[in-house]
């Protein structure tokens, strides 16, 4: 029997309209554009503000609608929807169920995965294994966050870092030597003290006290997280590169988790890669946690070519981290997707319009 590989065949994304820049942020907390640019490299971030109360599914649905529109795939042919997020709309039901219900995935199952900033990487591996098993042929992986729902805008240590957004990919079976080739993933359980949200789970349930003590926000001790992020991502990338004969000569793109430009540069340096081969969106999207990697693909899709060698790497709470090697499956983006502005808009199409598109395509 021929070996089955799992390849990405389309990308969608969505970021909210509202842009919070460093100038506005410096009126909220004591900070400056200069400090943020020097220490983090973030100029602006998108915030789900006007649509407050919408949750992460609001952004994921828009990203997925756009993906279906671009790929012209029939929602009824999708067998699985995986959602990587740490900011689900609810503890339950799952975000995946909200997406499946609203977008007409009449033959799919789905569930959420929570591994903070490593979420997309782990969901990609999970999804690929469903396909490699031979039992599933077409799945969607969503990843993104409503980070502003858990960022403390009184804490200058964390509030400049994060933004909101969601991306998604279509993954399909192929017998070509394409798609997710190798992965290295680890969790060490040593990260709680440095990166966590203390209350709101089953251990420290929500109460007046937890709210008064502001325990429902991201806590981060930045320096140790920074050090671990650089070391673990660099080691993971090196492991994957060595195992697959990849060098600075033949890697086309490095796609690092977007937490801080200094972290991304350090990982790229270890591989000996020049800046023009590193996907970066942290400067205008900030850290969208699980969303950073698919949002990079979303923006760089027009530049990608079939056969490109990609290395993804991520690091997040837990600590959790890893790296994946992927051979890209198609050239550029569909003609209509070449203008991101159009697709920001396309992500906003209404349910009625969406139904019309599906009906037109089916007929
Ligand atoms: O996505 C999950 C993984 N997360 C990450 O990878 C994030 C990793 N960490 C980082 O990116 C960096 O550690 C930060 C960007 C969070 C912080 O940068 P840093 O260079 O490590 O700064 P620091 O926390 O050591 O703080 C240096 C100084 C402190 O002042 P003192 O104590 O030296 O007087 C802070 O109070 O900078 C001060 N500071 C600020 N000043 C102006 C902290 N935040 C700010 C701010 N504006 N926003």
């Amino acid at each position: 029997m021929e070996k089955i590989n799992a390849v990405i065949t389309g990308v969608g994304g969505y970021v909210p309209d509202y842009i919070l820049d460093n100038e506005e942020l410096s009126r909220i907390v004591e900070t400056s554009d200069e400090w943020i640019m020097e220490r983090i490299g973030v100029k602006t971030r998108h915030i789900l503000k006007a649509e407050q109360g919408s949750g992460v599914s609001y952004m994921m649905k828009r990203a997925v609608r756009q993906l279906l529109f671009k790929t012209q795939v029939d929602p009824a042919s999708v067998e699985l929807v995986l959602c990587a997020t740490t900011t689900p709309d609810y503890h339950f039901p799952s975000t995946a169920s909200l997406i499946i219900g609203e977008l007409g995935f009449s033959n799919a199952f789905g569930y959420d995965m929570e591994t903070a900033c490593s979420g997309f990487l782990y969901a990609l591996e999970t999804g690929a294994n469903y396909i490699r098993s031979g039992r599933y042929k077409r799945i969607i992986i969503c990843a993104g966050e409503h980070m502003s729902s858990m960022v403390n805008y009184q804490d200058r240590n964390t509030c400049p870092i994060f933004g909101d957004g969601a991306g998604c990919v279509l993954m399909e079976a192929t017998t070509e030597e394409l798609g997710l080739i190798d992965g290295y993933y680890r969790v060490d359980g040593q990260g709680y003290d440095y990166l966590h949200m203390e209350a709101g789970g089953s251990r420290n349930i929500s109460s007046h006290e937890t709210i008064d003590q502001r325990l429902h926000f991201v806590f981060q001790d930045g320096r140790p997280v920074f050090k671990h992020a650089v070391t673990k991502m660099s080691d993971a990338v090196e492991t994957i590169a060595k195992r697959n004969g990849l060098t600075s000569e033949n890697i086309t793109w490095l796609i690092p988790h977007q937490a801080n430009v200094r972290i991304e540069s350090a990982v790229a340096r270890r591989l000996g890669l020049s800046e023009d081969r590193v996907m970066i969106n942290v400067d205008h999207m900030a850290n969208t946690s699980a969303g950073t990697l698919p949002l990079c693909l979303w923006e760089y899709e027009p530049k990608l070519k079939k056969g490109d060698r990609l290395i993804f790497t991520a690091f997040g709470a837990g600590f959790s981290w890893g790296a994946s090697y992927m051979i890209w499956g198609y050239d550029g983006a569909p003609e209509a997707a070449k203008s991101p502005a159009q697709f920001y808009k396309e992500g906003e199409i209404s349910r009625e319009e969406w139904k019309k598109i599906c009906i037109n395509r089916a007929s």
Side-chain angles (χ1 to χ4, degrees), residues 89-283:
D89 285 25
Y90 308 106
H91 277 308
F92 68 90
S94 67
T95 313
S97 72
L98 304 177
I99 293 168
I100 287 172
E102 197 157 320
L103 299 189
F105 293 113
S106 49
N107 294 305
F109 75 112
Y111 56 92
D112 293 0
M113 294 177 63
E114 193 270 288
T115 42
C117 300
S118 304
F120 178 74
L121 205 65
Y122 290 9
L124 207 60
E125 175 70 24
T126 306
N129 286 325
Y130 275 101
I131 288 176
R132 288 166 180 149
S133 76
R135 193 156 167 186
Y136 301 89
K137 294 193 168 44
R138 179 173 276 176
I139 69 170
I140 285 179
I141 297 165
C142 306
E145 308 286 356
H146 188 183
M147 287 306 295
S148 61
S149 70
M150 60 172 183
V151 164
N152 180 355
Y153 288 94
Q154 293 179 8
D155 176 14
R156 71 174 184 173
N157 292 298
T158 50
C159 72
I161 299 172
F162 297 103
D164 298 335
C168 58
V169 296
L170 183 69
M171 201 176 220
E172 297 186 87
T174 181
T175 49
E176 284 188 78
E177 188 62 8
L178 295 172
L180 197 62
I181 304 297
D182 194 11
Y184 170 92
Y185 313 103
R186 292 290 184 274
V187 172
D188 67 4
Q190 303 302 308
Y192 178 85
D193 288 347
Y194 313 108
L195 190 51
H196 63 254
M197 184 166 94
E198 200 168 328
S202 61
R203 184 155 173 167
N204 201 357
I205 59 175
S206 309
S207 65
H208 284 294
E209 285 74 31
T210 61
I211 289 169
D212 290 345
Q213 290 167 33
R214 304 184 72 77
L215 300 181
H216 295 266
F217 295 114
V218 174
F219 168 84
Q220 178 171 250
D221 183 357
R223 271 193 197 175
V225 177
F226 187 102
K227 269 195 212 154
H228 280 87
V230 171
T231 314
K232 302 295 193 192
M233 283 199 284
S234 302
D235 290 350
V237 158
E238 206 168 77
T239 304
I240 279 294
K242 271 195 190 141
R243 268 197 334 218
N244 294 280
L246 299 168
T247 63
S248 58
E249 302 293 307
N250 58 13
I251 296 167
T252 324
W253 290 101
L254 172 69
I255 311 163
H257 172 51
Q258 308 283 309
N260 185 320
V261 275
R262 290 188 291 139
I263 297 178
E264 288 139 36
S265 305
V267 178
R269 265 200 307 277
R270 178 94 163 255
L271 272 181
L273 281 185
S274 55
E275 271 178 25
D276 58 344
R277 284 195 282 154
V278 185
M279 292 193 191
I280 301 281
N281 66 23
V282 69
D283 55 326

